[in-house]
Amino acid sequence: MAAEAEVLDELRRLRARVPQVTGALAASVDGLVLAHDTPGIEPEGVAALTAASLGVAVRMTDATAQGDFRELLVRGVYGYVATYAAGRSAVVTLLAQDRVNVGRLHLEGRRASTRIGELVDAAAVRAETVPPPPAEPPEALPAKPPVRTPGKSTAARARTPRTPADAPRPAANARTTEN
């Protein structure tokens, strides 16, 4: 993805603004990692779990008539996992310590996810509007059909008898040298 460096830069800036954020990941809604800054955490696993939880959250907002998905917050004993919608095809997941100011986490998470959504959506539009590379020109057809050379004769070859193992050997080949 062309915007990967910019997305990673945005994730790192977010982590600098909120020091209690211990990891940040941008992923597609299908669970593919777009960019990550997650020391000590397997980003592919988190992206896959994000996609799974996103599916449940989207169904929950639909079932309760709350509109389109915006964010999901999960609190564990040791901290938070916050997931934010990022444009049409991405999500941002943040891992934070238990002592994080949740209001600040949401404020910065929403800002970063909006920016990342813009970057990802713009990259997707560029990818759709870029014309495909020109097709290779067809190879020039030969002016004449290739001339076939006659193959080996199918006539039976005469076999020469083998020389016995105890027969004297001819002199060494002229190309063979002995040291």
Side-chain angles (χ1 to χ4, degrees), residues 12-73:
R12 288 182 175 153
R13 283 196 305 263
L14 172 103
R15 288 196 60 202
R17 289 189 305 264
V18 186
Q20 294 81 21
V21 171
T22 59
L25 172 125
S28 71
V29 294
D30 298 331
L32 300 174
V33 176
L34 301 176
H36 68 92
D37 185 12
T38 55
I41 303 291
E42 180 189 353
E44 291 81 13
V46 173
L49 289 169
T50 295
S53 63
L54 176 66
V56 172
V58 167
R59 289 182 64 193
M60 178 69 88
T61 57
D62 286 346
T64 58
Q66 299 302 315
D68 292 335
F69 169 80
R70 294 286 181 242
E71 59 195 49
L72 172 68
L73 182 67

Side-chain angles (χ1 to χ4, degrees), residues 158-169:
R159 296 191 83 158
T160 55
R162 288 189 163 186
T163 52
D166 58 345
R169 303 242 174 219

Side-chain angles (χ1 to χ4, degrees), residues 93-114:
T93 295
L94 305 176
L95 310 175
Q97 298 170 352
D98 189 42
R99 61 189 178 95
V100 70
N101 178 323
V102 177
R104 179 78 188 269
L105 176 69
H106 282 318
L107 177 70
E108 297 295 342
R110 291 170 186 154
R111 284 181 182 167
S113 64
T114 298

Side-chain angles (χ1 to χ4, degrees), residues 143-163:
K144 298 181 200 175
V147 177
R148 292 189 166 248
T149 56
K152 292 187 177 183
S153 171
T154 56
R157 293 187 335 193
R159 296 191 83 158
T160 55
R162 288 189 163 186
T163 52

